[in-house]
Amino acid sequence: MSTTTTTNTRSITTVPAPTGVINAGRTAATAARVLRQLRHDPRTIALMILVPCVMLILLRYVFDASPRTFDNIGASLLGIFPLITMFLVTSIATLRERTSGTLERLLAMPLGKADLIAGYALAFGAIAIVQSALATGLAVWVLGLDVTGSPWLLLLVALLDALLGTALGLFVSAFAASEFQAVQFMPAVIFPQLLLCGLFTPRSDMQPVLTGISDVLPMSYAVDGMNQVLHHTDMTATFVRDVLIVAGCALLVLVLGAATLRRRTA
């Protein structure tokens, strides 16, 4: 009698780990998911898009008797307001996904950290475009902000500032354990830049140590870039430098934000 032994072999399928190269499909899918979630949160959308416009309107009529004062500081705040709102909303929204376990589940899939961060940046960047366009159009064509240069250059700086706020929000969310802590990062990350950026007094008039600190803060170059558009008809070399520094800082912070993501291997 012959005995036949059958050996069943279980095939194990492994999902290859994503490489460090950004995958366009995974990035777009992540951005679409974030935008779908934001669509069901009208209060967050209103905060990101409408608050900078409301603040500009309020500022205009605070200086109703002195329109020239609005011209001098309105351009700078046109870049600062989007940075602050995008920082606040992005840090809280990303923290919610960290604490709810959504990010952990996503990172368990074949989704690279670069894809995830790029997807978030793309989604919030799309909103930043709308936000910056509305704020710039309102300031220039409705509130009468008088600028010497092109309004399109104002829009460019405002957009880069909003993207910088998004990058900073993604980064600091890694160090907060609650939404309250995320809000607490604003005095530590945003307020020093606000005080030292040259909005209240020229940076060259500050105490030398503070001038040196302001030279390494990205908001300083955002304000400088806006002032270049305010006073020059053409794009200057200083403006190009300022724009490149703000964009470079945003990219650097996004890279640091990707480095804070961790895959759990429990």
Side-chain angles (χ1 to χ4, degrees):
M1 179 183 295
S2 61
T3 303
T4 304
T5 303
T6 304
T7 304
N8 293 325
T9 310
R10 178 179 296 176
S11 61
I12 301 175
T13 303
T14 59
V15 179
T19 64
V21 179
I22 294 178
N23 180 279
R26 292 192 291 257
T27 298
T30 301
R33 180 187 64 81
V34 174
L35 289 174
R36 284 195 299 269
Q37 290 179 332
L38 289 174
R39 186 181 61 184
H40 299 294
D41 191 355
R43 287 177 298 182
T44 299
I45 294 177
L47 177 63
M48 288 189 289
I49 293 179
L50 298 181
V51 166
C53 295
V54 173
M55 296 300 291
L56 285 170
I57 293 172
L58 179 62
L59 182 71
R60 168 63 181 84
Y61 291 105
V62 164
F63 296 109
D64 189 46
S66 180
R68 191 58 192 168
T69 303
F70 175 71
D71 292 337
N72 289 333
I73 68 173
S76 298
L77 291 176
L78 181 59
I80 291 174
F81 286 157
L83 189 155
I84 293 175
T85 55
M86 292 303 292
F87 170 84
L88 183 61
V89 171
T90 306
S91 60
I92 293 176
T94 309
L95 178 64
R96 285 179 182 175
E97 300 225 320
R98 288 180 185 269
T99 56
S100 66
T102 302
L103 283 180
E104 183 180 347
R105 292 192 295 271
L106 289 172
L107 289 174
M109 302 168 61
L111 181 70
K113 293 188 291 184
D115 299 326
L116 189 63
I117 289 295
Y120 275 84
L122 183 61
F124 286 108
I127 297 177
I129 292 174
V130 177
Q131 178 199 69
S132 301
L134 285 177
T136 303
L138 174 70
V140 175
W141 289 297
V142 178
L143 300 179
L145 179 66
D146 185 17
V147 294
T148 302
S150 170
W152 293 106
L153 297 181
L154 282 183
L155 176 59
L156 174 61
V157 180
L159 176 58
L160 289 176
D161 290 344
L163 292 176
L164 176 62
T166 297
L168 289 170
L170 288 170
F171 177 65
V172 303
S173 67
F175 305 99
S178 66
E179 294 180 15
F180 179 68
Q181 288 186 6
V183 175
Q184 287 179 311
F185 272 103
M186 180 172 287
V189 176
I190 300 298
F191 287 178
Q193 297 192 65
L194 188 62
L195 293 173
L196 299 177
C197 68
L199 178 64
F200 302 105
T201 186
R203 293 193 290 127
S204 58
D205 294 343
M206 297 178 187
Q207 204 276 341
V209 173
L210 296 181
T211 300
I213 295 174
S214 71
D215 287 342
V216 299
L217 298 177
M219 191 182 290
S220 300
Y221 297 95
V223 171
D224 287 351
M226 286 295 192
N227 287 332
Q228 289 292 312
V229 181
L230 184 65
H231 297 109
H232 297 86
T233 56
D234 299 322
M235 184 185 302
T236 64
T238 302
F239 174 84
V240 174
R241 180 209 63 183
D242 295 336
V243 166
L244 291 177
I245 289 176
V246 174
C249 288
L251 180 60
L252 175 62
V253 175
L254 283 177
V255 172
L256 293 175
T260 65
L261 296 178
R262 295 290 182 268
R263 297 178 185 272
R264 294 187 180 180
T265 57

